[in-house]
Amino acid sequence: GLRRVARSRASQRKARVVAERSMQNPTRTIAEAYDRIAEYYDLQWSGRVRGPQCRLTDGLGLSAGLRCADLGCGTGVDTLDMAQRVAPAEVVAVDCSLAMLEALARRAQHAGLHISACHQGAEEFIATAERGSYDVLSLRFCLGYFDWPSVLARLPPLLAAGGRVGILTILSSSAPQAYETYQGMMDELGLPQAPLTALDSLEQLTQGLSHAGLDVDDAWVESFRLGFGSGPELAAWLRTSGIATAKGLPSAPAPLLDLLWSEFGRRVEAHRDEDVVPLDFHVAGVVASVPV
C-alpha cells in the first residue's frame, strides 16, 4: 500500500526530480496529459458541463461574420457551436494538445465546418495575436493553467471595438473530496503538494476583467454534484477527465501511478454519502465587453 511507497526514499527523490523537470515546461506537461486523455475527454467531462458551456456561448451574442478565437478549445464541442453561429467567418481553435485538435478536426469535417486550428498554449497565442483582430474571445476551463491576472490584462488589446470575452473556470472550492484525499496522501509520503491554481471566487474574475478595462455584462456561478458508485470509479474518472491535470503534478512510471491511484480510490471512499462517493463542483462564468 501507500506506506510501502513512503518507505522508498529513492522513489521520493525521483518524484521530486520529475516534478522539477515538469515545472520547467508546464505547457508541454499539460499538453502531454491531455494527449493521453483526449479519447475519453468528451465522455468524462464535456457532457458534464453542457449547461454552463451553452450559457456562455449564448451570452457571447454570436452572429454571422464575427471573428472568434476559442482558447483551450479541447475537442471542439463548443468551438463548433460557435462556428455554426458565425459562419461563413472562421473560428480559430487554440489548444496545446495535438490530440485534442485532431479530435476537433474530425468533428468539424463531419459537421462540414471549417475551423482554423492553432497548436499553441493560450498564453503564447495571446502574446503573439494581432491587436484588434477579434470580435470574440472565449477561454473555457484553461484559466487555472497560467498566470491569469496577466492574461486577463492582455485580452482587451486583441479585441475590436465592442468586442467580447467569455470565460468559464472551475473555482478552487471544487472537488474538495478529491483534494482532501490527495493532501493526506502527499503528507504521508512526505512529498510537496501541487498548490491549487484555480481562482477562489467569481469576484476575482470580475475584478480582474474590470481592472483590464472591460465591462462585465453577465457573471454567475453554477454548482453541481457528480456521484460515483465507488472510490475506484471516481479515481478512474479523474484520470480521464482532465480535472486532475495540473502543471505542478509530476509524471511518474505507470506502475507507481497505478498504485497511487488505487490507494486514492480506496481512501476517497471516506467521503461516501449514502450510496455515492461525491464530487462537488463550482463553475464561474463571465461575459465582458470592450466599452463602447
Side-chain angles (χ1 to χ4, degrees):
L2 191 57
R3 286 186 172 85
R4 290 198 302 272
V5 179
R7 284 196 294 265
S8 173
R9 294 186 177 182
S11 295
Q12 292 183 33
R13 287 196 298 270
K14 184 174 182 180
R16 290 192 182 97
V17 170
V18 176
E20 292 170 359
R21 289 176 179 173
S22 71
M23 288 298 291
Q24 294 173 5
N25 193 345
T27 299
R28 179 177 176 182
T29 300
I30 294 167
E32 290 174 348
Y34 277 98
D35 282 346
R36 289 192 294 269
I37 65 170
E39 180 181 353
Y40 312 100
Y41 185 75
D42 288 336
L43 176 64
Q44 303 290 46
W45 179 245
S46 299
R48 313 266 183 169
V49 289
R50 289 303 298 144
Q53 290 279 34
C54 290
R55 176 170 179 173
L56 185 77
T57 301
D58 289 342
L60 289 172
L62 301 174
S63 60
L66 292 182
R67 298 161 297 172
C68 305
D70 189 22
L71 282 60
C73 64
T75 59
V77 173
D78 302 284
T79 314
L80 293 188
D81 190 4
M82 295 175 66
Q84 290 174 334
R85 302 185 190 209
V86 302
E90 290 183 1
V91 174
V92 178
V94 182
D95 206 286
C96 64
S97 166
L98 184 59
M100 290 285 191
L101 290 175
E102 289 172 344
L104 182 152
R106 293 191 295 270
R107 177 172 276 125
Q109 183 177 22
H110 180 74
L113 292 168
H114 184 68
I115 301 291
S116 180
C118 180
H119 183 209
Q120 196 173 32
E123 276 188 295
E124 292 82 1
F125 176 84
I126 291 169
T128 57
E130 183 181 352
R131 296 174 64 92
S133 55
Y134 292 98
D135 299 301
V136 174
L137 295 172
S138 69
L139 295 86
R140 303 173 187 262
F141 299 114
C142 62
L143 205 59
Y145 293 138
F146 37 69
D147 179 24
W148 60 265
S150 66
V151 166
L152 295 183
R154 287 184 284 162
L155 294 178
L158 305 185
L159 293 169
R164 295 180 290 281
V165 171
I167 296 175
L168 284 177
T169 189
I170 294 174
L171 296 179
S172 63
S173 55
S174 294
Q177 302 89 346
Y179 193 64
E180 181 181 318
T181 303
Y182 161 77
Q183 286 179 306
M185 291 178 63
M186 293 300 100
D187 286 344
E188 188 170 326
L189 282 167
L191 292 173
Q193 298 175 15
L196 289 171
T197 58
L199 282 75
D200 293 325
S201 67
L202 176 65
E203 289 69 30
Q204 279 186 310
L205 183 53
T206 57
Q207 289 173 9
L209 290 168
S210 295
H211 290 161
L214 298 174
D215 290 337
V216 175
D217 303 317
D218 192 17
W220 72 93
V221 173
E222 182 167 329
S223 301
F224 58 93
R225 167 171 281 196
L226 303 182
F228 301 87
S230 68
E233 182 183 332
L234 185 154
W237 181 83
L238 281 174
R239 292 188 77 174
T240 54
S241 66
I243 299 305
T245 301
K247 59 188 178 184
L249 288 174
S251 57
L256 177 57
L257 281 177
D258 290 342
L259 174 62
L260 291 172
W261 276 110
S262 177
E263 180 65 14
F264 176 92
R266 184 186 70 79
R267 291 188 176 214
V268 80
E269 278 279 354
H271 294 278
R272 177 174 288 278
D273 184 2
E274 295 182 349
D275 59 342
V276 300
V277 184
L279 278 182
D280 296 315
F281 284 92
H282 309 286
V283 174
V286 175
V287 175
S289 59
V290 176
V292 178

